[in-house]
């Protein structure tokens, strides 16, 4: 695979205009040479084409016909949709998406070769169109059982629960495939925080529902989480106890209290019935 490592590169762009939003860039992203000394990159919110000036972006928008991501809509529930896009068939779109996500990720290698990946793009539809909120990529064939390569919530939509929805969707796909999965390592700090929150909440939900009468293997089967991710998560919430020569799972009161508090937050859960998808071969 052709790839470049970004370790020593310095952040070039400071600001990113995406449609009507303006956000700060976090890290270097290898946009073409003419952007090397630019302060701002202007992105089309539908096709993620990039421009050096607002005028150029406006001119593009007059002609850009893309109203939703260029793939199959495989999920719709209320205003929330997911589109599946094949990196081999939509190279330009997927490369543009990778360039955007690199602005907010420092440790990932950016793959120009998008062929081996599928991209799952999440949108929210309103009167003005289908707005991309975030996405994740997934290797078509993962030898390490990774079910997610790279995940991004666009900064203007972060901390609103969408990352959780993206993660939940990645596991829904694994369930449909009858596989267990885990995100590609290493995780970023924000990635780890989001996964930890999702894993523990999901496991606590199962444990409460089954009144603790459930094994690690059964939990893995129900959630598509790896047993390793389950064990780490249970350890992190201090739920693994050693009792009379045996490991048992046991939730303390504060963990359960926090869980019920979290349930009160407004969330967009994934409805498995709304997924119209067969694993690709
Ligand atoms: N500070 C503290 N906790 C956080 C933060 C934060 N900034 N962000 C997320 N969390 C935790 C919280 O527990 C949060 O739940 P809460 O809001 O109920 O407390 C939980 O994660 C889920 O948060 P979401 O709002 O669902 O997540 P968000 O939409 O912000 O997306 C994501 C998370 C995708 C990691 C986002 O921060 C992002 O795009 N970051 C930049 C790119 C990146 O680092 N991606 C992960 C790389 S690893 C990989 O790709 C395999
Ligand atoms: Zn466009």
């Amino acid at each position: 695979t052709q790839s470049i490592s970004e370790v020593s590169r310095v952040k070039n762009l400071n600001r990113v205009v995406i449609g009507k939003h303006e956000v700060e860039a976090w890290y270097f992203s290898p946009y073409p040479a003419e952007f090397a000394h630019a302060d701002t990159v202007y992105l089309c919110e539908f096709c993620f084409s990039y421009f050096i000036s607002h005028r150029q972006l406006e001119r593009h928008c007059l002609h850009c016909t893309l109203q939703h991501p260029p793939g199959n809509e495989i999920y719709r529930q209320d205003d929330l949709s997911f589109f599946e896009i094949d990196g081999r068939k939509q190279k330009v779109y997927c490369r543009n998406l990778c360039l955007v996500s690199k602005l907010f990720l420092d440790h990932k290698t950016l793959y120009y070769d998008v062929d081996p990946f599928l991209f799952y793009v999440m949108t929210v539809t309103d009167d003005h169109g289908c707005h991309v909120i975030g996405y994740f990529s997934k290797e078509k064939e993962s030898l390490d059982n990774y079910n997610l390569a790279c995940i991004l919530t666009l900064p203007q939509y972060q901390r609103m629960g969408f990352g959780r929805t993206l993660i939940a969707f990645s596991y829904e796909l694994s369930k449909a495939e009858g596989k267990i999965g885990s995100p590609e390592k290493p995780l970023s700090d924000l990635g780890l925080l989001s996964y930890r929150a999702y894993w523990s909440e999901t496991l606590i939900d199962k444990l409460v529902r089954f009144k603790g009468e459930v094994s690690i293997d059964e939990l893995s089967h129900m959630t598509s989480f790896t047993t390793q991710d389950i064990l780490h998560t249970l350890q992190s919430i201090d739920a693994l106890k050693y009792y009379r020569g045996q490991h048992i799972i046991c939730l303390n009161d504060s963990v359960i209290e926090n869980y019920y508090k979290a349930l009160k937050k407004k969330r967009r859960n994934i409805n498995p019935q709304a997924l119209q998808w067969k694993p690709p071969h």
Side-chain angles (χ1 to χ4, degrees), residues 44-49 51 57 60-61 64-66:
C44 169
E45 73 154 323
F46 294 104
C47 69
F48 296 105
S49 293
F51 302 94
L57 172 62
H60 164 86
C61 289
C64 183
T65 51
L66 208 62

Side-chain angles (χ1 to χ4, degrees), residues 19 35 91 106 110 130 175:
F35 290 84
K91 286 194 212 306
D106 69 341
L110 186 88
C130 236
K175 286 184 214 166

Side-chain angles (χ1 to χ4, degrees), residues 108-260:
K108 285 275 171 182
T109 313
L110 186 88
Y111 289 93
Y112 287 108
D113 184 9
V114 289
D115 288 27
F117 295 91
L118 291 165
F119 292 76
Y120 294 93
V121 179
M122 185 173 78
T123 64
V124 166
T125 306
D126 68 11
D127 297 343
H128 303 286
C130 236
H131 304 280
V132 174
I133 304 292
Y135 85 99
F136 64 86
S137 56
K138 176 174 177 167
E139 278 175 285
K140 292 172 185 171
E141 215 80 59
S142 170
L143 298 175
D144 304 291
N145 272 325
Y146 291 143
N147 66 354
L148 180 146
C150 189
I151 180 172
L152 173 80
T153 300
L154 290 173
Q156 66 267 32
Y157 302 115
Q158 286 178 8
R159 267 342 271 279
M160 297 161 82
F162 287 117
R164 182 180 177 277
T165 311
L166 287 165
I167 293 171
F169 193 79
S170 73
Y171 282 106
E172 216 46 60
L173 295 183
S174 293
K175 286 184 214 166
E177 291 173 304
K179 288 186 184 164
I180 57 164
S182 191
E184 191 177 305
K185 310 302 175 303
L187 295 171
S188 67
D189 294 351
L190 290 173
L192 186 62
L193 281 171
S194 307
Y195 266 97
R196 282 238 175 98
Y198 180 73
W199 284 328
S200 52
E201 204 177 287
T202 306
L203 292 173
I204 294 167
D205 172 75
K206 300 290 179 217
L207 290 170
V208 168
R209 207 175 297 180
F210 288 87
K211 299 192 169 61
E213 299 287 312
V214 61
S215 70
I216 305 285
D217 281 340
E218 285 165 336
L219 286 171
S220 171
H221 195 73
M222 284 187 266
T223 57
S224 281
F225 300 173
T226 65
T227 50
Q228 196 188 11
D229 290 337
I230 293 172
L231 285 170
H232 275 152
T233 306
L234 293 178
Q235 251 154 21
S236 75
I237 56 171
D238 197 26
L240 277 186
K241 303 275 149 75
Y242 197 64
Y243 181 73
R244 295 197 174 163
Q246 264 191 15
H247 282 289
I248 56 162
I249 308 170
C250 179
L251 297 176
N252 59 43
D253 292 346
S254 69
V255 166
I256 295 178
E257 218 168 274
N258 287 337
Y259 166 72
Y260 283 112

